[in-house]
Amino acid sequence: MTKKSKLAKVPYNESGGLLDYARYDSDVHEWRDNKPFPALLTLKGAERGMSAARFVWHSDKGHIYKMFMTDMVSLIQNDGPIYAGTVDTWWIAQKRGSNYGIRCATQEDLKNAGHISGPKNDCPGCDQIAYRYESWCPLRPTADQPHQYRHDPLRQFQCLCRERMEHVAHGLT
């Protein structure tokens, strides 16, 4: 996997969607800080531009985001979970050549944005982010430091840190 460079600002249109190309400043409604954001996205199709093929996602809030093919492969192989063409996770913008798109936010992206893991109320990175139902910071806990047990939906009796429920990392002895 290649190292991802940090992109400080990204262009958005007047309806709140990420612009896939910003040739002129007049094309851009707003330049925003590039921080991970939670969104429920539904795959609507694919398109081919002059220099890139992209997948088109629509958010539950009506925003449109484009994703490069490479990032779609990564999403399918690694990041999941995809259900009936929808993905509910944390995303971040990136730039390839002159084009902008989204990808799943990595744990490193979340750390760089100030997330610390644990209850959302205690996480400075989650401050003022209205994520519908999840009460936990999206940064996964690690087995090498104590944290509250968080059920991994893909593994029975395991925490998101990949350790069993009764492991000492969860404050249990």
Side-chain angles (χ1 to χ4, degrees), residues 125-142:
C126 289
D127 188 34
Q128 299 190 13
I129 293 178
Y131 193 48
R132 295 165 299 286
Y133 51 81
E134 180 65 60
S135 61
W136 294 97
C137 168
L139 187 65
R140 287 180 174 267
T142 59

Side-chain angles (χ1 to χ4, degrees), residues 10-173:
V10 290
Y12 282 82
N13 61 27
E14 61 280 347
S15 65
L18 179 69
L19 286 173
D20 58 334
Y21 188 78
R23 177 177 289 179
Y24 306 107
D25 281 338
S26 60
D27 296 339
V28 180
H29 175 72
E30 176 184 13
W31 287 93
R32 295 185 195 166
D33 290 337
N34 189 23
K35 295 182 178 177
F37 61 94
L40 173 65
L41 301 182
T42 303
L43 183 63
K44 292 297 179 181
E47 66 179 28
R48 185 142 186 88
M50 293 180 74
S51 63
R54 296 175 291 263
F55 290 90
V56 180
W57 296 87
H58 289 210
S59 80
D60 56 339
K61 295 181 172 52
H63 305 141
I64 297 173
Y65 299 96
K66 309 283 175 81
M67 177 181 278
F68 300 108
M69 294 180 86
T70 303
D71 300 306
M72 181 62 128
V73 170
S74 178
L75 171 69
I76 293 169
Q77 290 179 338
N78 306 314
D79 301 309
I82 300 172
Y83 177 74
T86 63
V87 181
D88 191 6
T89 192
W90 286 70
W91 308 92
I92 193 164
Q94 67 174 358
K95 187 175 183 183
R96 291 185 191 259
S98 299
N99 298 301
Y100 294 90
I102 60 166
R103 63 174 169 78
C104 283
T106 64
Q107 293 293 289
E108 195 63 33
D109 294 327
L110 295 166
K111 285 179 190 174
N112 291 337
H115 292 275
I116 60 171
S117 186
K120 198 159 81 168
N121 297 354
D122 300 339
C123 176
C126 289
D127 188 34
Q128 299 190 13
I129 293 178
Y131 193 48
R132 295 165 299 286
Y133 51 81
E134 180 65 60
S135 61
W136 294 97
C137 168
L139 187 65
R140 287 180 174 267
T142 59
D144 63 344
Q145 91 184 53
H147 59 271
Q148 190 170 348
Y149 172 78
R150 290 173 57 195
H151 173 71
D152 186 335
L154 302 176
R155 293 167 187 84
Q156 191 173 18
F157 304 117
Q158 280 192 351
C159 178
L160 285 173
C161 73
R162 306 280 194 248
E163 295 292 346
R164 303 260 321 147
M165 183 174 16
E166 64 278 353
H167 192 273
V168 294
H170 306 125
L172 304 172
T173 53

